[in-house]
Amino acid sequence: MIISLISQKGGVGKSALARLLAVEIAKAEWSVKIADLDPAQGTSTKSKARRDVAGFQPDVAVEKFRTVDRALKEAGRYDLLILDGPAHAEKGGRTMAQA
């Protein structure tokens, strides 16, 4: 399963919702990964680092990706892949909406 969180505007809660969904679904014993598609901001990646330091469970995999295509290659390895999109997701190649 793949869930894409996208918006033209930044600061609307995409990353917060991605993290919330990932943690709650991981509690149901699904394997979950967040694809952080905003490598400049890296909100989900930074949150993962803070969770690791604090020892919070469940552990949720997070990885930065520069393209949707690269992130989608991970989908078969997890029960759920959450695409945490950047603001202005239409810019540069394949859009989040095409995923």
Side-chain angles (χ1 to χ4, degrees), residues 27-87:
K27 286 179 182 178
E29 299 184 8
W30 284 39
S31 61
V32 180
K33 184 169 194 169
I34 298 174
D36 190 340
L37 292 165
D38 191 351
Q41 183 83 17
T43 304
S44 287
T45 304
K46 291 173 186 172
S47 176
K48 162 75 169 152
R50 288 190 302 271
R51 285 181 59 82
D52 288 349
V53 168
F56 291 148
Q57 293 295 321
D59 186 40
V60 174
V62 178
E63 185 176 346
K64 286 184 183 182
F65 292 93
R66 293 200 177 276
T67 68
V68 172
D69 290 332
R70 288 185 182 162
L72 290 177
K73 291 178 181 177
E74 293 288 305
R77 298 180 55 213
Y78 296 88
D79 298 321
L80 174 62
L81 177 67
I82 300 174
L83 302 176
D84 180 12

Side-chain angles (χ1 to χ4, degrees), residues 8 87-95:
Q8 292 300 300
H88 310 293
E90 84 288 354
K91 292 184 179 177
R94 186 173 179 187
T95 67

